[in-house]
Amino acid sequence: MKNLIDILDLSTSEIEQLIDTANDIIDNPDNYRKKCRYKKLATLFFEPSTRTRLSFEAAMMELGGNVLGFSEANSSSSAKGESVSDTIAVVGGYADIIAMRHPKEGAPLVASMKSDVPIINAGDGGHNHPTQTLTDLLTIKREMGHLDNLTVGLCGDLKFGRTVHSLIAALSRYSGIKFVLISPKELELPSYVKDAHIKANGIPCEQTTSLDDAMEKLDILYMTRVQRERFFNEEDYLRLKDSYILTPEKLKNAKENMIVMHPLPRVNEISTAVDSDKRASYFRQAKYGKYIRMALILKLLEVE
Amino acid sequence: MRVDSIKNGIVIDHITCGKAMQIYDMLNLDKLDCTVAILKNVSSNKMGKKDIIKIDCDIEINFDVLGFISPNITVCIVRDGKVAEKKHIDLPEQLTDILHCKNPRCITSTEQDIHHIFRLTDRENGIYRCIYCDTKA
């Protein structure tokens, strides 16, 4: 049985297969409508989420399966003090596959050690978010046509931004990748991510605090939100939350075929005036999330 | 200074200078009834100075603890006054229930009854990271 806890659980060829399946689902949705009939997906969201949970649920429904679960820890038995291991042991008896989001880092790994059914990490604190990365890779493939030879700018909260960590891990395996890390000093990329992926693979990487300086070099600008829930201290959050705001003005120096991505939700880091720019890919990106999750569910349930 | 040689027991040799007490603590040697000698700052041709621990009874040793605290340690098992076995201890690939993760966001800070596991991610610099949250040991 296979789980998806970390994006590196998947080889690049497995990722390519998932992208091919997702593209086929987009082109031929009718072929997939009954693939997961009589199967159940449990969405265990110990932390609030809208799009990840809904896209998992929509994905299972479009495959003809059913969905059960909860959307916040207060409505689950964890509020009564139940351990992750016990919750999983119980839910594994009700569902064929589990998508789990948890505020504690490593919770889905613990779940996978105890579970009899496949576990998908739908986000564990500021650590990993592999299905967002699959979404990002599908978006890059569809919008740019390839996953290699790209200069990728990552902007905003690179410290707690789990989507950024997983994306760096995934893209570091492709040739010709360059990273430009754009963040305030306090929200710089953790050294373990840099060491394990960027340095280990000898990838060119530039670190800057200026989005304007970086803009013209980029093929992809990946914006992130400064997340209130990751701060122990409200003052730090308020000081850093408006560090980078993307406006049409700032995009003037960007390449014509550059794309702007964002895992969403955004607060104010991308002005709504950017939405009509053809380079703004984030809403298409959100839609692709459903298709890649459909492909992932099929793979983990070993449905042909 | 004279420390008697041991008849049946263990000699932990080539300990990095100053690390003997840490090993003493982590192996819970204070719980033993037998004689335990800690030698600090012993002259060594190879290391300049080293620490040595002599344990005058046959006990189970957690080699992972030794390798983690002081790689390149030598463990000699002594039987009937002679070295019966000699082991060179390197950095272990994994540490189980030896360290606790310091990250308050890690699942190990709340979940009961799970193993605390760290994996060697950088042999050159001896860096271990929590398998759950990737925090450095």
Side-chain angles (χ1 to χ4, degrees):
Chain A
M1 184 194 68
K2 194 146 184 180
N3 305 290
L4 179 62
I5 305 302
D6 187 306
I7 191 67
L8 298 181
D9 293 345
L10 297 169
S11 66
T12 49
S13 63
E14 284 176 308
I15 287 175
E16 269 156 42
Q17 282 166 14
L18 286 172
I19 289 175
D20 289 347
T21 306
N23 281 326
D24 193 53
I25 295 170
I26 293 168
D27 294 338
N28 306 292
D30 287 343
N31 294 349
Y32 292 86
R33 296 220 192 276
K34 292 179 183 169
K35 289 275 187 191
C36 286
R37 239 173 130 193
Y38 309 122
K39 300 275 187 194
K40 293 186 289 285
L41 164 75
T43 52
L44 309 187
F45 278 63
F46 295 86
E47 193 179 58
S49 150
T50 313
R51 69 215 69 245
T52 304
R53 184 172 58 84
L54 293 184
S55 78
F56 265 112
E57 294 183 356
M60 193 55 167
M61 287 173 189
E62 287 205 21
L63 291 167
N66 291 305
V67 175
L68 65 160
F70 53 82
S71 56
E72 53 174 324
N74 288 342
S75 58
S76 78
S77 50
S78 78
K80 298 172 193 161
E82 187 176 52
S83 66
V84 168
S85 306
D86 283 4
T87 303
I88 290 301
V90 172
V91 176
Y94 304 149
D96 300 288
I97 185 166
I98 296 171
M100 175 183 180
R101 169 168 290 191
H102 201 285
K104 290 284 183 185
E105 298 173 11
L109 177 60
V110 171
S112 72
M113 291 167 166
K114 306 284 176 178
S115 178
D116 294 328
V117 302
I119 299 285
I120 302 172
N121 180 1
D124 58 336
H127 190 220
N128 277 322
H129 194 356
T131 61
Q132 180 63 49
T133 308
L134 288 174
T135 303
D136 298 341
L137 295 175
L138 175 62
T139 306
I140 295 170
K141 188 72 189 278
R142 287 186 69 89
E143 304 267 322
M144 304 299 289
H146 52 96
L147 295 172
D148 53 1
N149 298 312
L150 293 165
T151 299
V152 183
L154 301 145
C155 178
D157 176 3
L158 309 188
K159 184 177 182 184
F160 298 114
R162 59 191 167 197
T163 59
V164 168
H165 303 171
S166 294
L167 184 59
I168 287 173
L171 284 176
S172 294
R173 297 191 288 183
Y174 294 90
S175 61
I177 294 291
K178 290 179 192 160
F179 290 116
V180 182
L181 307 175
I182 309 150
S183 74
K185 287 264 176 249
E186 295 88 337
L187 296 176
E188 277 179 3
L189 193 70
S191 60
Y192 77 86
V193 181
K194 220 183 279 178
D195 294 346
H197 307 298
I198 299 178
K199 282 188 190 163
N201 292 296
I203 292 173
C205 178
E206 203 180 300
Q207 200 151 331
T208 175
T209 53
S210 167
L211 176 57
D212 292 334
D213 290 351
M215 190 65 87
E216 60 184 10
K217 306 170 198 164
L218 306 179
D219 298 311
I220 295 167
L221 172 59
Y222 196 95
M223 296 293 293
T224 61
R225 172 174 64 99
V226 175
Q227 302 169 90
R228 181 191 291 260
E229 61 271 29
R230 303 281 167 243
F231 285 84
F232 286 133
N233 181 339
E234 179 77 4
E235 259 175 48
D236 287 347
Y237 166 71
L238 293 173
R239 185 166 50 81
L240 294 169
K241 74 183 176 66
D242 295 331
S243 298
Y244 301 100
I245 296 174
L246 185 65
T247 58
E249 236 349 75
K250 290 197 171 171
L251 272 176
K252 275 186 184 153
N253 292 333
K255 288 180 186 172
E256 271 306 299
N257 63 345
M258 181 258 248
I259 59 168
V260 180
M261 297 173 67
H262 191 300
L264 302 178
R266 72 171 155 193
V267 180
N268 60 350
E269 59 278 8
I270 301 178
S271 146
T272 51
V274 174
D275 295 356
S276 55
D277 191 301
K278 69 176 173 50
R279 292 169 287 194
S281 307
Y282 31 92
F283 290 117
R284 293 193 292 279
Q285 184 185 353
K287 197 166 87 180
Y288 297 145
K290 178 183 71 179
Y291 298 113
I292 200 76
R293 288 181 176 99
M294 289 170 78
L296 179 66
I297 290 168
L298 290 172
K299 179 182 171 61
L300 295 183
L301 287 177
E302 296 174 353
V303 175
E304 290 296 320
Chain B
M1 192 181 73
R2 181 188 160 85
V3 176
D4 287 338
S5 55
I6 56 177
K7 194 147 193 239
N8 287 298
I10 296 162
V11 178
I12 307 172
D13 199 357
H14 300 115
I15 301 171
T16 308
C17 202
K19 298 276 188 180
M21 278 314 290
Q22 203 181 339
I23 290 177
Y24 181 85
D25 289 337
M26 287 193 79
L27 291 179
N28 295 318
L29 299 183
D30 58 323
K31 306 272 190 315
L32 296 179
D33 282 336
C34 65
T35 307
V36 177
I38 298 171
L39 291 88
K40 289 175 67 75
N41 302 325
V42 179
S43 295
S44 160
N45 290 337
K46 205 163 74 177
M47 301 168 73
K49 277 182 176 180
K50 64 179 180 180
D51 291 358
I52 300 173
I53 298 177
K54 291 187 173 191
I55 305 163
D56 198 11
C57 58
D58 204 359
I59 57 160
E60 289 264 314
I61 291 272
N62 185 335
F63 293 115
D64 290 348
V65 169
L66 300 179
F68 169 63
I69 297 174
S70 177
N72 305 319
I73 253 174
T74 311
V75 176
C76 297
I77 313 288
V78 180
R79 287 194 193 107
D80 298 325
K82 288 182 183 156
V83 175
E85 209 181 319
K86 201 170 191 178
K87 288 180 182 171
H88 296 282
I89 312 294
D90 199 2
L91 282 174
E93 282 299 322
Q94 190 168 293
L95 300 170
T96 303
D97 295 329
I98 292 170
L99 304 170
H100 279 222
C101 185
K102 294 171 290 205
N103 175 10
R105 295 182 176 89
C106 180
I107 186 67
T108 55
S109 68
T110 50
E111 187 84 353
Q112 303 293 314
D113 300 325
I114 56 169
H115 293 296
H116 293 247
I117 302 172
F118 285 77
R119 205 163 279 154
L120 182 62
T121 56
D122 181 349
R123 181 168 285 279
E124 205 177 312
N125 298 304
I127 293 172
Y128 286 83
R129 292 190 182 277
C130 172
I131 65 158
Y132 302 100
C133 70
D134 287 309
T135 297
K136 211 158 132 181

